[in-house]
Amino acid sequence: MDNTFPAGSERRSLAIPLGLVALGGLSLSIDLAVSRRCVAEEFRFAHRFLEQIEPFGQPPGAIIISLALWACGALSRRDSLRVVLAPIASGLTADFLKLLVARSRPYHFFRITAPDMATTVFDTFQGWLPLFSGGSRLQSCPSAHTAFVTGFCVALSRLFPGGRLLFAVVATLVALQRIEGGAHFVSDTLWGGAVGYWIGTRWMKISAQSRSDRSVEEFDSQDRGVESPAQSV
């Protein structure tokens, strides 16, 4: 399985997250309008389908899929671990960022806001460094589910490039589920996607480089007739 990173991947690993961050900023203009309709259950026809997609944005789903790929011989044990750790690192990074900025989740914001009250999207932001004081209702930004599934799909795309389109669709559907369910604004999911793409790409590159360095070390040691540290373990 190819673990090298082709030319241009470094530029993409930076351009795509920056593009998602920019789109998130632009989507602030539609955040309230879209989420108001979602909280009012105007898209209820899609609720059941999207709800069934949501497990792809959680650790059990990623772990089961990675184990299945390993059990079927599609992934080595090491690569299956790489695939699991990419989304976990992405999700944890998003969870950390939630502690830096407080933003109301849509279902909470529209519950505490009177329909005739004049509000702007900036009213959804409740301050800096809330840490754990606001609880889940003030942890809307960024979407950890979207970060998780994006990191997962980035890892799968690296090892199975033929499935890139499918993986992108899955990540998009998970993001839509978070919006439709009233858990996140559109901008939250785009920013979560940026986190997941960046962390997932960096993790896959670093872990591939580590493997390459270890292989070179073992080859040089064998060529000299010396046992490498990796072989002696």
Side-chain angles (χ1 to χ4, degrees), residues 12-50:
R12 287 196 300 273
S13 69
L14 182 61
I16 291 178
L18 288 177
L20 290 172
V21 169
L23 285 175
L26 293 174
S27 72
L28 287 171
S29 62
I30 64 171
D31 271 353
L32 292 184
V34 172
S35 289
R36 183 178 286 110
R37 297 184 66 182
C38 290
V39 171
E41 300 185 352
E42 292 188 24
F43 303 105
R44 193 68 184 180
F45 63 90
H47 179 78
R48 184 172 178 81
F49 170 73
L50 291 175

PDB file of all heavy atoms in Angstrom, residues 12-50:
ATOM      1  N   ARG A  12      -2.307  21.249  -0.997  1.00  0.00           N
ATOM      2  CA  ARG A  12      -3.718  20.945  -0.756  1.00  0.00           C
ATOM      3  C   ARG A  12      -4.024  20.861   0.734  1.00  0.00           C
ATOM      4  O   ARG A  12      -5.094  21.267   1.176  1.00  0.00           O
ATOM      5  CB  ARG A  12      -4.115  19.628  -1.441  1.00  0.00           C
ATOM      6  CG  ARG A  12      -4.221  19.718  -2.948  1.00  0.00           C
ATOM      7  CD  ARG A  12      -4.972  18.515  -3.495  1.00  0.00           C
ATOM      8  NE  ARG A  12      -4.300  17.269  -3.168  1.00  0.00           N
ATOM      9  CZ  ARG A  12      -3.338  16.729  -3.901  1.00  0.00           C
ATOM     10  NH1 ARG A  12      -2.920  17.337  -4.999  1.00  0.00           N
ATOM     11  NH2 ARG A  12      -2.782  15.591  -3.546  1.00  0.00           N
ATOM     12  N   SER A  13      -3.073  20.304   1.500  1.00  0.00           N
ATOM     13  CA  SER A  13      -3.312  20.138   2.934  1.00  0.00           C
ATOM     14  C   SER A  13      -3.437  21.478   3.639  1.00  0.00           C
ATOM     15  O   SER A  13      -3.972  21.554   4.748  1.00  0.00           O
ATOM     16  CB  SER A  13      -2.180  19.320   3.571  1.00  0.00           C
ATOM     17  OG  SER A  13      -0.965  20.061   3.586  1.00  0.00           O
ATOM     18  N   LEU A  14      -2.952  22.533   3.007  1.00  0.00           N
ATOM     19  CA  LEU A  14      -3.088  23.869   3.571  1.00  0.00           C
ATOM     20  C   LEU A  14      -4.237  24.632   2.916  1.00  0.00           C
ATOM     21  O   LEU A  14      -5.007  25.315   3.591  1.00  0.00           O
ATOM     22  CB  LEU A  14      -1.784  24.649   3.399  1.00  0.00           C
ATOM     23  CG  LEU A  14      -1.749  26.070   3.981  1.00  0.00           C
ATOM     24  CD1 LEU A  14      -1.984  26.020   5.495  1.00  0.00           C
ATOM     25  CD2 LEU A  14      -0.427  26.740   3.667  1.00  0.00           C
ATOM     26  N   ALA A  15      -4.364  24.495   1.588  1.00  0.00           N
ATOM     27  CA  ALA A  15      -5.374  25.265   0.847  1.00  0.00           C
ATOM     28  C   ALA A  15      -6.797  24.859   1.219  1.00  0.00           C
ATOM     29  O   ALA A  15      -7.676  25.721   1.371  1.00  0.00           O
ATOM     30  CB  ALA A  15      -5.156  25.098  -0.654  1.00  0.00           C
ATOM     31  N   ILE A  16      -7.044  23.560   1.366  1.00  0.00           N
ATOM     32  CA  ILE A  16      -8.407  23.101   1.658  1.00  0.00           C
ATOM     33  C   ILE A  16      -8.872  23.555   3.043  1.00  0.00           C
ATOM     34  O   ILE A  16      -9.984  24.104   3.167  1.00  0.00           O
ATOM     35  CB  ILE A  16      -8.512  21.575   1.496  1.00  0.00           C
ATOM     36  CG1 ILE A  16      -8.366  21.214   0.003  1.00  0.00           C
ATOM     37  CG2 ILE A  16      -9.834  21.050   2.050  1.00  0.00           C
ATOM     38  CD1 ILE A  16      -8.395  19.743  -0.285  1.00  0.00           C
ATOM     39  N   PRO A  17      -8.076  23.392   4.113  1.00  0.00           N
ATOM     40  CA  PRO A  17      -8.531  23.911   5.413  1.00  0.00           C
ATOM     41  C   PRO A  17      -8.743  25.422   5.404  1.00  0.00           C
ATOM     42  O   PRO A  17      -9.714  25.917   5.983  1.00  0.00           O
ATOM     43  CB  PRO A  17      -7.404  23.508   6.367  1.00  0.00           C
ATOM     44  CG  PRO A  17      -6.762  22.335   5.729  1.00  0.00           C
ATOM     45  CD  PRO A  17      -6.838  22.606   4.256  1.00  0.00           C
ATOM     46  N   LEU A  18      -7.845  26.157   4.740  1.00  0.00           N
ATOM     47  CA  LEU A  18      -8.012  27.606   4.676  1.00  0.00           C
ATOM     48  C   LEU A  18      -9.284  27.967   3.915  1.00  0.00           C
ATOM     49  O   LEU A  18      -9.998  28.912   4.281  1.00  0.00           O
ATOM     50  CB  LEU A  18      -6.788  28.248   4.014  1.00  0.00           C
ATOM     51  CG  LEU A  18      -5.499  28.275   4.841  1.00  0.00           C
ATOM     52  CD1 LEU A  18      -4.363  28.879   4.037  1.00  0.00           C
ATOM     53  CD2 LEU A  18      -5.709  29.049   6.144  1.00  0.00           C
ATOM     54  N   GLY A  19      -9.569  27.207   2.850  1.00  0.00           N
ATOM     55  CA  GLY A  19     -10.801  27.438   2.105  1.00  0.00           C
ATOM     56  C   GLY A  19     -12.036  27.183   2.952  1.00  0.00           C
ATOM     57  O   GLY A  19     -13.014  27.938   2.895  1.00  0.00           O
ATOM     58  N   LEU A  20     -11.992  26.120   3.756  1.00  0.00           N
ATOM     59  CA  LEU A  20     -13.121  25.813   4.637  1.00  0.00           C
ATOM     60  C   LEU A  20     -13.304  26.872   5.717  1.00  0.00           C
ATOM     61  O   LEU A  20     -14.428  27.221   6.078  1.00  0.00           O
ATOM     62  CB  LEU A  20     -12.924  24.432   5.269  1.00  0.00           C
ATOM     63  CG  LEU A  20     -13.050  23.235   4.323  1.00  0.00           C
ATOM     64  CD1 LEU A  20     -12.630  21.947   5.019  1.00  0.00           C
ATOM     65  CD2 LEU A  20     -14.486  23.114   3.808  1.00  0.00           C
ATOM     66  N   VAL A  21     -12.177  27.388   6.229  1.00  0.00           N
ATOM     67  CA  VAL A  21     -12.269  28.466   7.225  1.00  0.00           C
ATOM     68  C   VAL A  21     -12.919  29.700   6.603  1.00  0.00           C
ATOM     69  O   VAL A  21     -13.788  30.344   7.214  1.00  0.00           O
ATOM     70  CB  VAL A  21     -10.868  28.816   7.772  1.00  0.00           C
ATOM     71  CG1 VAL A  21     -10.922  30.097   8.600  1.00  0.00           C
ATOM     72  CG2 VAL A  21     -10.329  27.671   8.627  1.00  0.00           C
ATOM     73  N   ALA A  22     -12.508  30.030   5.380  1.00  0.00           N
ATOM     74  CA  ALA A  22     -13.083  31.186   4.691  1.00  0.00           C
ATOM     75  C   ALA A  22     -14.571  30.981   4.420  1.00  0.00           C
ATOM     76  O   ALA A  22     -15.386  31.890   4.621  1.00  0.00           O
ATOM     77  CB  ALA A  22     -12.332  31.437   3.381  1.00  0.00           C
ATOM     78  N   LEU A  23     -14.942  29.777   3.975  1.00  0.00           N
ATOM     79  CA  LEU A  23     -16.359  29.486   3.735  1.00  0.00           C
ATOM     80  C   LEU A  23     -17.165  29.573   5.028  1.00  0.00           C
ATOM     81  O   LEU A  23     -18.319  30.009   5.029  1.00  0.00           O
ATOM     82  CB  LEU A  23     -16.504  28.096   3.120  1.00  0.00           C
ATOM     83  CG  LEU A  23     -16.116  27.956   1.648  1.00  0.00           C
ATOM     84  CD1 LEU A  23     -16.185  26.497   1.215  1.00  0.00           C
ATOM     85  CD2 LEU A  23     -17.035  28.800   0.770  1.00  0.00           C
ATOM     86  N   GLY A  24     -16.530  29.150   6.136  1.00  0.00           N
ATOM     87  CA  GLY A  24     -17.207  29.263   7.430  1.00  0.00           C
ATOM     88  C   GLY A  24     -17.502  30.708   7.769  1.00  0.00           C
ATOM     89  O   GLY A  24     -18.580  31.030   8.277  1.00  0.00           O
ATOM     90  N   GLY A  25     -16.538  31.590   7.484  1.00  0.00           N
ATOM     91  CA  GLY A  25     -16.758  33.000   7.736  1.00  0.00           C
ATOM     92  C   GLY A  25     -17.887  33.557   6.876  1.00  0.00           C
ATOM     93  O   GLY A  25     -18.731  34.315   7.359  1.00  0.00           O
ATOM     94  N   LEU A  26     -17.912  33.157   5.611  1.00  0.00           N
ATOM     95  CA  LEU A  26     -18.969  33.620   4.715  1.00  0.00           C
ATOM     96  C   LEU A  26     -20.340  33.081   5.131  1.00  0.00           C
ATOM     97  O   LEU A  26     -21.362  33.763   4.994  1.00  0.00           O
ATOM     98  CB  LEU A  26     -18.666  33.202   3.274  1.00  0.00           C
ATOM     99  CG  LEU A  26     -17.453  33.870   2.618  1.00  0.00           C
ATOM    100  CD1 LEU A  26     -17.178  33.250   1.259  1.00  0.00           C
ATOM    101  CD2 LEU A  26     -17.676  35.375   2.477  1.00  0.00           C
ATOM    102  N   SER A  27     -20.344  31.846   5.653  1.00  0.00           N
ATOM    103  CA  SER A  27     -21.625  31.216   6.013  1.00  0.00           C
ATOM    104  C   SER A  27     -22.256  31.821   7.256  1.00  0.00           C
ATOM    105  O   SER A  27     -23.415  31.521   7.576  1.00  0.00           O
ATOM    106  CB  SER A  27     -21.435  29.711   6.202  1.00  0.00           C
ATOM    107  OG  SER A  27     -20.720  29.436   7.391  1.00  0.00           O
ATOM    108  N   LEU A  28     -21.521  32.678   7.957  1.00  0.00           N
ATOM    109  CA  LEU A  28     -22.129  33.368   9.104  1.00  0.00           C
ATOM    110  C   LEU A  28     -23.373  34.130   8.672  1.00  0.00           C
ATOM    111  O   LEU A  28     -24.306  34.320   9.467  1.00  0.00           O
ATOM    112  CB  LEU A  28     -21.118  34.327   9.738  1.00  0.00           C
ATOM    113  CG  LEU A  28     -19.969  33.691  10.538  1.00  0.00           C
ATOM    114  CD1 LEU A  28     -18.942  34.753  10.894  1.00  0.00           C
ATOM    115  CD2 LEU A  28     -20.491  33.009  11.795  1.00  0.00           C
ATOM    116  N   SER A  29     -23.384  34.542   7.415  1.00  0.00           N
ATOM    117  CA  SER A  29     -24.527  35.320   6.917  1.00  0.00           C
ATOM    118  C   SER A  29     -25.801  34.491   6.796  1.00  0.00           C
ATOM    119  O   SER A  29     -26.901  35.040   6.720  1.00  0.00           O
ATOM    120  CB  SER A  29     -24.180  35.938   5.562  1.00  0.00           C
ATOM    121  OG  SER A  29     -23.915  34.923   4.600  1.00  0.00           O
ATOM    122  N   ILE A  30     -25.678  33.169   6.768  1.00  0.00           N
ATOM    123  CA  ILE A  30     -26.863  32.312   6.641  1.00  0.00           C
ATOM    124  C   ILE A  30     -27.087  31.434   7.863  1.00  0.00           C
ATOM    125  O   ILE A  30     -28.059  30.680   7.918  1.00  0.00           O
ATOM    126  CB  ILE A  30     -26.768  31.413   5.383  1.00  0.00           C
ATOM    127  CG1 ILE A  30     -25.588  30.430   5.502  1.00  0.00           C
ATOM    128  CG2 ILE A  30     -26.656  32.252   4.126  1.00  0.00           C
ATOM    129  CD1 ILE A  30     -25.557  29.368   4.407  1.00  0.00           C
ATOM    130  N   ASP A  31     -26.199  31.521   8.829  1.00  0.00           N
ATOM    131  CA  ASP A  31     -26.289  30.648  10.008  1.00  0.00           C
ATOM    132  C   ASP A  31     -27.656  30.698  10.681  1.00  0.00           C
ATOM    133  O   ASP A  31     -28.290  29.655  10.928  1.00  0.00           O
ATOM    134  CB  ASP A  31     -25.209  31.009  11.029  1.00  0.00           C
ATOM    135  CG  ASP A  31     -23.906  30.261  10.788  1.00  0.00           C
ATOM    136  OD1 ASP A  31     -23.887  29.370   9.927  1.00  0.00           O
ATOM    137  OD2 ASP A  31     -22.914  30.575  11.470  1.00  0.00           O
ATOM    138  N   LEU A  32     -28.112  31.895  10.996  1.00  0.00           N
ATOM    139  CA  LEU A  32     -29.370  32.017  11.738  1.00  0.00           C
ATOM    140  C   LEU A  32     -30.564  31.553  10.914  1.00  0.00           C
ATOM    141  O   LEU A  32     -31.440  30.837  11.420  1.00  0.00           O
ATOM    142  CB  LEU A  32     -29.583  33.459  12.196  1.00  0.00           C
ATOM    143  CG  LEU A  32     -28.626  33.991  13.263  1.00  0.00           C
ATOM    144  CD1 LEU A  32     -29.022  35.399  13.680  1.00  0.00           C
ATOM    145  CD2 LEU A  32     -28.592  33.069  14.479  1.00  0.00           C
ATOM    146  N   ALA A  33     -30.580  31.915   9.647  1.00  0.00           N
ATOM    147  CA  ALA A  33     -31.717  31.551   8.800  1.00  0.00           C
ATOM    148  C   ALA A  33     -31.835  30.043   8.639  1.00  0.00           C
ATOM    149  O   ALA A  33     -32.925  29.461   8.751  1.00  0.00           O
ATOM    150  CB  ALA A  33     -31.589  32.225   7.433  1.00  0.00           C
ATOM    151  N   VAL A  34     -30.710  29.386   8.389  1.00  0.00           N
ATOM    152  CA  VAL A  34     -30.725  27.933   8.184  1.00  0.00           C
ATOM    153  C   VAL A  34     -31.071  27.210   9.478  1.00  0.00           C
ATOM    154  O   VAL A  34     -31.939  26.320   9.510  1.00  0.00           O
ATOM    155  CB  VAL A  34     -29.366  27.447   7.647  1.00  0.00           C
ATOM    156  CG1 VAL A  34     -29.312  25.920   7.619  1.00  0.00           C
ATOM    157  CG2 VAL A  34     -29.124  28.002   6.245  1.00  0.00           C
ATOM    158  N   SER A  35     -30.405  27.580  10.562  1.00  0.00           N
ATOM    159  CA  SER A  35     -30.618  26.873  11.823  1.00  0.00           C
ATOM    160  C   SER A  35     -31.996  27.123  12.404  1.00  0.00           C
ATOM    161  O   SER A  35     -32.561  26.248  13.063  1.00  0.00           O
ATOM    162  CB  SER A  35     -29.534  27.257  12.836  1.00  0.00           C
ATOM    163  OG  SER A  35     -28.284  26.695  12.465  1.00  0.00           O
ATOM    164  N   ARG A  36     -32.549  28.300  12.165  1.00  0.00           N
ATOM    165  CA  ARG A  36     -33.911  28.566  12.641  1.00  0.00           C
ATOM    166  C   ARG A  36     -34.895  27.583  12.005  1.00  0.00           C
ATOM    167  O   ARG A  36     -35.794  27.050  12.675  1.00  0.00           O
ATOM    168  CB  ARG A  36     -34.306  30.001  12.320  1.00  0.00           C
ATOM    169  CG  ARG A  36     -35.694  30.374  12.860  1.00  0.00           C
ATOM    170  CD  ARG A  36     -36.046  31.815  12.573  1.00  0.00           C
ATOM    171  NE  ARG A  36     -35.310  32.736  13.431  1.00  0.00           N
ATOM    172  CZ  ARG A  36     -34.343  33.553  13.010  1.00  0.00           C
ATOM    173  NH1 ARG A  36     -33.983  33.548  11.732  1.00  0.00           N
ATOM    174  NH2 ARG A  36     -33.740  34.360  13.854  1.00  0.00           N
ATOM    175  N   ARG A  37     -34.728  27.324  10.735  1.00  0.00           N
ATOM    176  CA  ARG A  37     -35.609  26.386  10.038  1.00  0.00           C
ATOM    177  C   ARG A  37     -35.357  24.948  10.512  1.00  0.00           C
ATOM    178  O   ARG A  37     -36.275  24.144  10.601  1.00  0.00           O
ATOM    179  CB  ARG A  37     -35.403  26.492   8.532  1.00  0.00           C
ATOM    180  CG  ARG A  37     -35.761  27.863   7.956  1.00  0.00           C
ATOM    181  CD  ARG A  37     -35.638  27.888   6.453  1.00  0.00           C
ATOM    182  NE  ARG A  37     -36.633  27.019   5.827  1.00  0.00           N
ATOM    183  CZ  ARG A  37     -36.717  26.820   4.517  1.00  0.00           C
ATOM    184  NH1 ARG A  37     -35.858  27.410   3.697  1.00  0.00           N
ATOM    185  NH2 ARG A  37     -37.648  26.014   4.027  1.00  0.00           N
ATOM    186  N   CYS A  38     -34.099  24.636  10.810  1.00  0.00           N
ATOM    187  CA  CYS A  38     -33.779  23.275  11.282  1.00  0.00           C
ATOM    188  C   CYS A  38     -34.372  23.024  12.661  1.00  0.00           C
ATOM    189  O   CYS A  38     -34.941  21.954  12.919  1.00  0.00           O
ATOM    190  CB  CYS A  38     -32.264  23.069  11.318  1.00  0.00           C
ATOM    191  SG  CYS A  38     -31.485  22.972   9.696  1.00  0.00           S
ATOM    192  N   VAL A  39     -34.241  24.003  13.547  1.00  0.00           N
ATOM    193  CA  VAL A  39     -34.783  23.862  14.897  1.00  0.00           C
ATOM    194  C   VAL A  39     -36.306  23.777  14.851  1.00  0.00           C
ATOM    195  O   VAL A  39     -36.936  23.084  15.671  1.00  0.00           O
ATOM    196  CB  VAL A  39     -34.323  25.040  15.784  1.00  0.00           C
ATOM    197  CG1 VAL A  39     -35.046  25.025  17.128  1.00  0.00           C
ATOM    198  CG2 VAL A  39     -32.814  24.979  15.996  1.00  0.00           C
ATOM    199  N   ALA A  40     -36.903  24.436  13.862  1.00  0.00           N
ATOM    200  CA  ALA A  40     -38.351  24.367  13.688  1.00  0.00           C
ATOM    201  C   ALA A  40     -38.793  23.078  12.998  1.00  0.00           C
ATOM    202  O   ALA A  40     -39.980  22.893  12.726  1.00  0.00           O
ATOM    203  CB  ALA A  40     -38.832  25.575  12.877  1.00  0.00           C
ATOM    204  N   GLU A  41     -37.828  22.202  12.723  1.00  0.00           N
ATOM    205  CA  GLU A  41     -38.073  20.890  12.115  1.00  0.00           C
ATOM    206  C   GLU A  41     -38.704  20.991  10.727  1.00  0.00           C
ATOM    207  O   GLU A  41     -39.521  20.158  10.333  1.00  0.00           O
ATOM    208  CB  GLU A  41     -38.937  20.022  13.031  1.00  0.00           C
ATOM    209  CG  GLU A  41     -38.299  19.765  14.388  1.00  0.00           C
ATOM    210  CD  GLU A  41     -39.099  18.808  15.242  1.00  0.00           C
ATOM    211  OE1 GLU A  41     -40.237  18.450  14.849  1.00  0.00           O
ATOM    212  OE2 GLU A  41     -38.590  18.402  16.303  1.00  0.00           O
ATOM    213  N   GLU A  42     -38.288  21.981   9.967  1.00  0.00           N
ATOM    214  CA  GLU A  42     -38.796  22.118   8.608  1.00  0.00           C
ATOM    215  C   GLU A  42     -38.176  21.100   7.650  1.00  0.00           C
ATOM    216  O   GLU A  42     -38.670  20.901   6.546  1.00  0.00           O
ATOM    217  CB  GLU A  42     -38.547  23.541   8.096  1.00  0.00           C
ATOM    218  CG  GLU A  42     -39.363  24.597   8.813  1.00  0.00           C
ATOM    219  CD  GLU A  42     -39.231  25.958   8.164  1.00  0.00           C
ATOM    220  OE1 GLU A  42     -38.904  26.009   6.962  1.00  0.00           O
ATOM    221  OE2 GLU A  42     -39.453  26.972   8.865  1.00  0.00           O
ATOM    222  N   PHE A  43     -37.076  20.486   8.075  1.00  0.00           N
ATOM    223  CA  PHE A  43     -36.425  19.479   7.242  1.00  0.00           C
ATOM    224  C   PHE A  43     -36.583  18.084   7.859  1.00  0.00           C
ATOM    225  O   PHE A  43     -35.719  17.227   7.729  1.00  0.00           O
ATOM    226  CB  PHE A  43     -34.940  19.814   7.065  1.00  0.00           C
ATOM    227  CG  PHE A  43     -34.708  21.177   6.483  1.00  0.00           C
ATOM    228  CD1 PHE A  43     -34.260  22.225   7.277  1.00  0.00           C
ATOM    229  CD2 PHE A  43     -34.951  21.418   5.137  1.00  0.00           C
ATOM    230  CE1 PHE A  43     -34.049  23.482   6.740  1.00  0.00           C
ATOM    231  CE2 PHE A  43     -34.747  22.671   4.590  1.00  0.00           C
ATOM    232  CZ  PHE A  43     -34.296  23.712   5.394  1.00  0.00           C
ATOM    233  N   ARG A  44     -37.686  17.890   8.515  1.00  0.00           N
ATOM    234  CA  ARG A  44     -37.945  16.630   9.211  1.00  0.00           C
ATOM    235  C   ARG A  44     -37.920  15.432   8.265  1.00  0.00           C
ATOM    236  O   ARG A  44     -37.600  14.316   8.683  1.00  0.00           O
ATOM    237  CB  ARG A  44     -39.316  16.702   9.900  1.00  0.00           C
ATOM    238  CG  ARG A  44     -39.572  15.590  10.903  1.00  0.00           C
ATOM    239  CD  ARG A  44     -38.671  15.715  12.107  1.00  0.00           C
ATOM    240  NE  ARG A  44     -38.837  14.613  13.033  1.00  0.00           N
ATOM    241  CZ  ARG A  44     -38.152  14.486  14.167  1.00  0.00           C
ATOM    242  NH1 ARG A  44     -37.260  15.397  14.505  1.00  0.00           N
ATOM    243  NH2 ARG A  44     -38.354  13.463  14.975  1.00  0.00           N
ATOM    244  N   PHE A  45     -38.224  15.660   6.996  1.00  0.00           N
ATOM    245  CA  PHE A  45     -38.248  14.554   6.030  1.00  0.00           C
ATOM    246  C   PHE A  45     -36.880  13.895   5.884  1.00  0.00           C
ATOM    247  O   PHE A  45     -36.784  12.719   5.519  1.00  0.00           O
ATOM    248  CB  PHE A  45     -38.719  15.073   4.669  1.00  0.00           C
ATOM    249  CG  PHE A  45     -37.792  16.098   4.053  1.00  0.00           C
ATOM    250  CD1 PHE A  45     -36.756  15.713   3.227  1.00  0.00           C
ATOM    251  CD2 PHE A  45     -37.970  17.446   4.320  1.00  0.00           C
ATOM    252  CE1 PHE A  45     -35.907  16.649   2.673  1.00  0.00           C
ATOM    253  CE2 PHE A  45     -37.126  18.394   3.755  1.00  0.00           C
ATOM    254  CZ  PHE A  45     -36.080  17.998   2.930  1.00  0.00           C
ATOM    255  N   ALA A  46     -35.812  14.642   6.184  1.00  0.00           N
ATOM    256  CA  ALA A  46     -34.463  14.092   6.050  1.00  0.00           C
ATOM    257  C   ALA A  46     -33.890  13.632   7.386  1.00  0.00           C
ATOM    258  O   ALA A  46     -32.797  13.060   7.423  1.00  0.00           O
ATOM    259  CB  ALA A  46     -33.530  15.132   5.427  1.00  0.00           C
ATOM    260  N   HIS A  47     -34.628  13.849   8.461  1.00  0.00           N
ATOM    261  CA  HIS A  47     -34.093  13.610   9.801  1.00  0.00           C
ATOM    262  C   HIS A  47     -33.687  12.153  10.028  1.00  0.00           C
ATOM    263  O   HIS A  47     -32.574  11.873  10.493  1.00  0.00           O
ATOM    264  CB  HIS A  47     -35.118  14.029  10.857  1.00  0.00           C
ATOM    265  CG  HIS A  47     -34.648  13.803  12.264  1.00  0.00           C
ATOM    266  ND1 HIS A  47     -33.756  14.642  12.895  1.00  0.00           N
ATOM    267  CD2 HIS A  47     -34.926  12.809  13.154  1.00  0.00           C
ATOM    268  CE1 HIS A  47     -33.508  14.184  14.115  1.00  0.00           C
ATOM    269  NE2 HIS A  47     -34.210  13.079  14.292  1.00  0.00           N
ATOM    270  N   ARG A  48     -34.552  11.227   9.705  1.00  0.00           N
ATOM    271  CA  ARG A  48     -34.279   9.825   9.991  1.00  0.00           C
ATOM    272  C   ARG A  48     -33.063   9.316   9.219  1.00  0.00           C
ATOM    273  O   ARG A  48     -32.204   8.615   9.768  1.00  0.00           O
ATOM    274  CB  ARG A  48     -35.502   8.968   9.658  1.00  0.00           C
ATOM    275  CG  ARG A  48     -35.330   7.495  10.009  1.00  0.00           C
ATOM    276  CD  ARG A  48     -36.610   6.710   9.847  1.00  0.00           C
ATOM    277  NE  ARG A  48     -36.427   5.309  10.131  1.00  0.00           N
ATOM    278  CZ  ARG A  48     -36.413   4.789  11.353  1.00  0.00           C
ATOM    279  NH1 ARG A  48     -36.563   5.571  12.405  1.00  0.00           N
ATOM    280  NH2 ARG A  48     -36.252   3.490  11.550  1.00  0.00           N
ATOM    281  N   PHE A  49     -32.986   9.684   7.941  1.00  0.00           N
ATOM    282  CA  PHE A  49     -31.850   9.247   7.126  1.00  0.00           C
ATOM    283  C   PHE A  49     -30.542   9.815   7.674  1.00  0.00           C
ATOM    284  O   PHE A  49     -29.554   9.087   7.852  1.00  0.00           O
ATOM    285  CB  PHE A  49     -32.046   9.693   5.678  1.00  0.00           C
ATOM    286  CG  PHE A  49     -30.818   9.501   4.829  1.00  0.00           C
ATOM    287  CD1 PHE A  49     -30.428   8.228   4.429  1.00  0.00           C
ATOM    288  CD2 PHE A  49     -30.054  10.592   4.429  1.00  0.00           C
ATOM    289  CE1 PHE A  49     -29.287   8.039   3.652  1.00  0.00           C
ATOM    290  CE2 PHE A  49     -28.914  10.412   3.661  1.00  0.00           C
ATOM    291  CZ  PHE A  49     -28.537   9.136   3.268  1.00  0.00           C
ATOM    292  N   LEU A  50     -30.509  11.113   7.949  1.00  0.00           N
ATOM    293  CA  LEU A  50     -29.287  11.744   8.441  1.00  0.00           C
ATOM    294  C   LEU A  50     -28.897  11.207   9.812  1.00  0.00           C
ATOM    295  O   LEU A  50     -27.713  11.066  10.126  1.00  0.00           O
ATOM    296  CB  LEU A  50     -29.470  13.258   8.492  1.00  0.00           C
ATOM    297  CG  LEU A  50     -29.583  13.965   7.139  1.00  0.00           C
ATOM    298  CD1 LEU A  50     -29.886  15.443   7.330  1.00  0.00           C
ATOM    299  CD2 LEU A  50     -28.309  13.789   6.324  1.00  0.00           C
TER     300      LEU A  50
END
